Amino acid sequence: MIIMSITATKEQVENVVREINKCGLEAVTTTSTHRVVIMPVGDEPHTDLSHLLSFPGVKEVAVVEAPYRLINRELNERLGEHLDYVVEVDGLKFGDKEPIYIAGPCAVESKFQILRTAEAVKSAGADVLRGGIFKPRTSVHSFQGLGSKGEAEEALYWLQEAGNKVGMPVVSEARGESQVDLLAKYVDIIQIGSRNMYNQDLLTRVAKTGKPILLKRHFGAGLEEFLSLAEYVAAQGNMNIILCERGVVPIGRGKSFTRYLLDVSAVPVLQRETFLPVIVDPSHAAGRWDLVKSLSCAAIAAGASGLIIEAHHNPPEALVDGQQQVTPGELKSIITVCNQISRSIQ
Ligand code: PEP
Ligand code: MN
């Protein structure tokens, strides 16, 4: 990490970046309120950059051990910043005081379904509309989303139109690199699903769109791994990252009562480790609608900056994840109690 002096000029910063590139590394430049900091990205441990100390405008060349540096809270505070990074989407602020509620169906199924659900979740108090078009499914025989039926653009258009109609930004998942440009045309936030958390190429690709990225934790990933992979997005200069805890593999050998095991402690731990906003998906963690409220309350009580909840205007009709999607009425009751909890802990 190269810390520039407060008086460093633009030319001096560019000069240091050029030298880092000459050493075979990329450089991410961040301008804090006090000074410019340049983070080399690449095989840094094997590259000696100590000579940069003699470059004009350089105050300090620090070796940083943490595998995630660009999004590291402690490092940031060492630079004199006390930042809770706010990811702004259409005037909504992830990471600010008020929790943000993302809701909508697991998958976009039809124009009628997404519009009906959009209207219903909006009146239940949701802020952002979700809807999967490229569904990651374990079985090739299950419904893969309209994207896999050659109807991706039409479905994206319905999602965007539904969002516009009720005044909500929209989020949808990129399952593969080839889908990224199309998604970026229609959605406000690109989601990277749990199964793709380790997909470095996809993370780099979506980061380059400059869109906010909702990154879900893999169900077998430790928190350090989760943050290290989030760093791939930051390394492209895209800090608009919303981290999402969505449950880890449940323990025990028997049939589990929940689909995954919600790691509530991930919320305060991640908030201590990084300045990025952290939200929770209670729906995929529970795998059943009747537990979604309890897990939502727990997440907000733990300090989560928001929730992403699967909701359908008529869950028994859903083509996928019907058992865990809540009705608009249930969503309204969840949002109401979560807002009360949030106010009481502020
Ligand atoms: C989803 O949110 O639609 C989803 C598939 O979740 P996850 O990647 O967490 O399983
Ligand atoms: Mn789902």
Side-chain angles (χ1 to χ4, degrees):
M1 176 170 74
I2 321 302
I3 303 169
M4 302 298 290
S5 67
I6 294 171
T7 53
T9 64
K10 197 165 158 268
E11 287 69 34
Q12 288 170 339
V13 172
E14 284 167 1
N15 203 23
V16 171
V17 169
R18 248 194 316 277
E19 180 60 19
I20 293 172
N21 293 155
K22 250 204 251 162
C23 296
L25 302 174
E26 299 289 323
V28 175
T29 304
T30 48
T31 309
S32 71
T33 35
H34 304 287
R35 59 182 85 249
V36 171
V37 175
I38 307 168
M39 290 280 192
V41 178
D43 190 10
E44 197 193 346
H46 296 113
T47 316
D48 186 7
L49 294 172
S50 53
H51 64 291
L52 284 172
L53 200 52
S54 62
F55 276 50
V58 173
K59 176 171 182 280
E60 200 182 326
V61 178
V63 178
V64 183
E65 301 289 348
Y68 46 92
R69 302 160 199 187
L70 303 168
I71 59 170
N72 191 309
R73 183 181 288 281
E74 195 193 331
L75 261 179
N76 204 266
E77 286 179 357
R78 253 177 44 199
L79 296 171
E81 296 287 309
H82 293 278
L83 181 74
D84 277 314
Y85 194 80
V86 170
V87 176
E88 219 176 309
V89 183
D90 235 9
L92 296 167
K93 293 180 174 169
F94 286 88
D96 207 7
K97 286 197 170 56
E98 305 290 322
I100 304 290
Y101 301 100
I102 305 174
C106 181
V108 175
E109 298 166 3
S110 67
K111 183 175 177 173
F112 171 79
Q113 172 249 16
I114 193 62
L115 189 57
R116 266 297 284 282
T117 304
E119 285 165 345
V121 299
K122 173 75 181 184
S123 50
D127 305 294
V128 180
L129 179 65
R130 64 153 284 153
I133 285 153
F134 302 102
K135 295 305 302 174
R137 302 306 304 279
T138 306
S139 168
V140 72
H141 303 295
S142 3
F143 176 61
Q144 318 274 314
L146 292 177
S148 301
K149 291 175 74 185
E151 294 164 28
E153 189 145 16
E154 208 172 358
L156 277 164
Y157 180 72
W158 296 336
L159 178 68
Q160 188 190 50
E161 197 182 38
N164 281 343
K165 184 127 192 254
V166 298
M168 283 197 286
V170 299
V171 55
S172 197
E173 175 170 349
R175 197 182 52 208
E177 286 178 67
S178 62
Q179 299 151 5
V180 173
D181 287 336
L182 186 63
L183 278 159
K185 246 172 84 179
Y186 290 95
V187 305
D188 304 283
I189 304 172
I190 301 180
Q191 176 174 327
I192 297 297
S194 185
R195 289 153 192 82
N196 265 317
M197 186 208 86
Y198 289 106
N199 189 338
Q200 301 163 218
D201 295 330
L202 181 59
L203 291 173
T204 302
R205 183 75 187 73
V206 289
K208 284 182 177 156
T209 64
K211 291 266 176 184
I213 307 300
L214 194 167
L215 178 62
K216 293 185 125 188
R217 176 188 183 185
H218 187 274
F219 38 78
L223 293 175
E224 195 181 63
E225 282 179 291
F226 185 25
L227 291 166
S228 300
L229 271 296
E231 184 98 346
Y232 276 89
V233 178
Q236 296 305 315
N238 187 347
M239 282 291 173
N240 290 320
I241 307 164
I242 303 158
L243 298 173
C244 179
E245 158 61 29
R246 48 78 72 207
V248 293
V249 179
I251 52 166
R253 287 163 165 247
K255 192 170 174 294
S256 178
F257 288 104
T258 58
R259 190 172 175 182
Y260 291 93
L261 180 66
L262 183 67
D263 180 4
V264 180
S265 60
V267 175
V269 171
L270 290 170
Q271 285 171 340
R272 250 161 251 183
E273 287 297 310
T274 177
F275 46 78
L276 295 174
V278 182
I279 67 165
V280 166
D281 174 348
S283 305
H284 288 89
R288 43 192 274 194
W289 74 268
D290 61 326
L291 297 183
V292 172
K293 190 176 193 174
S294 305
L295 299 194
S296 298
C297 291
I300 295 297
S305 292
L307 299 171
I308 175 165
I309 298 177
E310 284 192 344
H312 195 287
H313 74 277
N314 185 13
E317 254 183 26
L319 296 180
V320 48
D321 281 351
Q323 76 294 345
Q324 72 192 31
Q325 305 202 50
V326 296
T327 59
E330 180 70 5
L331 180 69
K332 187 170 182 178
S333 116
I334 294 170
I335 292 177
T336 306
V337 65
C338 284
N339 280 336
Q340 287 165 358
I341 294 172
S342 167
R343 275 194 294 273
S344 72
I345 59 168
Q346 270 168 30

